[in-house]
Amino acid sequence: MPVFSPYADRLSRIPIERHEVEVRGGTTAYWVYGPSADSDTDQSAQDAADPKTEPLTVIAVHGFRGEHHGLEPVLAYLPDVRVIAPDLPGFGETPPLPGRTHDLDEYAGWLQDFTAAVAPGAVILGHSFGSIVSSAAVATGLQTPRLILINPIGAPALEGPKGLMTRLAVLYYELGAKLPAKLGTALLRSRLIVRVASITMAKTKDPVLRRFIHDQHDTYFSDFADRDVLRDAFVASVSHDVRAFAPRIAVPTLLVAAQQDDITPIEAERHLATLFPSAELVEIADVGHLIHYETPAEAAGHIRRFLRVPVAQGR
């Protein structure tokens, strides 16, 4: 039986187009939400109100084991913003990059090349692992007027309040990589383990919303190409965090953090904000690492306001 989405009605009113582009020897699938590139109706109205407002095109980078659908609840509250949402290589409908190790350097390079191909100068948004990929790409040369990080990974996962769970996850992915291929892949796609992870991350008490979150994870959390790319991406996700890149990111940055995040404690997010030359931290209460599912309207509200703040002269 189909699971009710609290955001389906809003999303149904937003135009969505699927596209593909060749990047780094592979084909990247991506979706464009909202106004098309040749539609200037909404942007003209905004520019008339504030001529300093930047063109509202955002590239949204999803998190580990997810794909572009995960950020749709946030996009549902940004109908006047043109958002380009790719599936990361090896996840969703984007196959792995041929002959490459999917480590952080590769993902950062892919994002730089993808942005150059489809929307040079776009605002970059990253969630969770996507926050690491986006920060690494911007710190190493990706040109963007602004950076938005939702549930940023602001400290090593092994040091967070759920450090033990992360260590168990390391063992899980190591076992999945070492077992015979069929058995290892089955373990990595285990619905039971996916459900345990979903229950652990969800903070809402709303049964309808919880059912939706679990269905989203059941549907998309195992949509990876193979266990090799999954292992590579997992290693990248737990071996890096945004702190290493923050001092080299000069553009205005918005951090949307959760006060109950089990992966990065809010104290670490507050420290992370101090490492950027120009960053704003907003905190959302009563939510954990699933801001994009549980409080998308609030996150989108902060994003809309941030996108309308004029960039300081000289940037």
Side-chain angles (χ1 to χ4, degrees), residues 24-203:
R24 298 175 86 82
T27 301
T28 294
Y30 68 97
W31 288 257
V32 179
Y33 295 75
S36 63
D38 57 358
S39 173
D40 59 2
T41 302
D42 293 313
Q43 188 59 53
S44 296
Q46 292 168 16
D47 289 345
D50 182 357
K52 295 181 180 179
T53 299
E54 300 162 2
L56 297 183
T57 299
V58 176
I59 291 179
V61 185
H62 64 76
F64 175 67
R65 284 195 71 149
E67 42 102 273
H68 74 281
H69 282 101
L71 290 170
E72 283 191 337
V74 177
L75 308 189
Y77 289 92
L78 298 170
D80 55 345
V81 179
R82 181 173 181 257
V83 179
I84 298 172
D87 283 346
L88 285 169
F91 296 89
E93 296 183 31
T94 298
L97 299 172
R100 297 176 183 266
T101 299
H102 291 70
D103 55 16
L104 182 58
D105 288 343
E106 188 59 41
Y107 277 119
W110 164 83
L111 181 56
Q112 292 171 342
D113 293 352
F114 174 78
T115 301
V118 302
V123 173
I124 304 297
L125 179 153
H127 170 258
S128 190
F129 177 53
S131 75
I132 304 176
V133 173
S134 299
S135 297
V138 173
T140 55
L142 175 57
Q143 298 297 306
T144 180
R146 299 180 187 278
L147 177 64
I148 301 167
L149 306 179
I150 302 175
N151 286 122
I153 306 299
L158 292 172
E159 297 178 8
K162 297 294 184 180
L164 176 59
M165 292 294 290
T166 303
R167 289 180 176 83
L168 291 175
V170 170
L171 295 176
Y172 166 67
Y173 285 103
E174 287 181 349
L175 183 60
K178 291 178 180 178
L179 286 171
K182 186 175 181 180
L183 185 59
T185 300
L187 174 65
L188 293 170
R189 289 198 165 104
S190 167
R191 289 178 67 88
L192 174 61
I193 293 176
V194 168
R195 179 55 60 90
V196 169
S198 186
I199 291 172
T200 300
M201 289 187 289
K203 303 300 181 186

Side-chain angles (χ1 to χ4, degrees), residues 2 12 22 71 105 131 135 144-145 152 207-208 210 212 229 231 260 290 312:
S12 69
E22 297 299 307
L71 290 170
D105 288 343
S131 75
S135 297
T144 180
V208 174
R210 288 184 70 88
F212 169 71
V229 72
R231 179 198 59 227
Q260 295 184 27
L290 303 181

Side-chain angles (χ1 to χ4, degrees), residues 141-311:
L142 175 57
Q143 298 297 306
T144 180
R146 299 180 187 278
L147 177 64
I148 301 167
L149 306 179
I150 302 175
N151 286 122
I153 306 299
L158 292 172
E159 297 178 8
K162 297 294 184 180
L164 176 59
M165 292 294 290
T166 303
R167 289 180 176 83
L168 291 175
V170 170
L171 295 176
Y172 166 67
Y173 285 103
E174 287 181 349
L175 183 60
K178 291 178 180 178
L179 286 171
K182 186 175 181 180
L183 185 59
T185 300
L187 174 65
L188 293 170
R189 289 198 165 104
S190 167
R191 289 178 67 88
L192 174 61
I193 293 176
V194 168
R195 179 55 60 90
V196 169
S198 186
I199 291 172
T200 300
M201 289 187 289
K203 303 300 181 186
T204 179
K205 304 300 183 184
D206 182 339
V208 174
L209 183 54
R210 288 184 70 88
R211 194 175 302 116
F212 169 71
I213 291 170
H214 297 332
D215 180 69
Q216 287 282 292
H217 287 142
D218 288 346
T219 304
Y220 302 117
F221 220 50
S222 294
D223 199 9
F224 54 88
D226 56 56
R227 63 180 184 168
D228 292 330
V229 72
L230 184 66
R231 179 198 59 227
D232 289 349
F234 175 73
V235 170
S237 72
V238 298
S239 302
H240 303 275
D241 61 79
V242 177
R243 295 177 307 173
F245 308 106
R248 290 181 279 158
I249 297 175
V251 299
T253 301
L254 174 67
L255 310 179
V256 184
Q259 292 184 349
Q260 295 184 27
D261 198 328
D262 292 325
I263 294 179
T264 301
I266 192 62
E267 294 80 9
E269 302 284 37
R270 292 166 182 162
H271 174 67
L272 174 64
T274 69
L275 302 179
F276 287 86
S278 176
E280 173 190 356
L281 172 68
V282 295
E283 301 179 12
I284 301 182
D286 304 320
V287 68
H289 201 65
L290 303 181
I291 283 176
H292 58 310
Y293 285 140
E294 297 188 40
T295 57
E298 189 169 351
H302 291 300
I303 291 169
R304 293 171 66 90
R305 176 189 52 77
F306 179 71
L307 290 174
R308 285 166 171 74
V309 175
V311 175

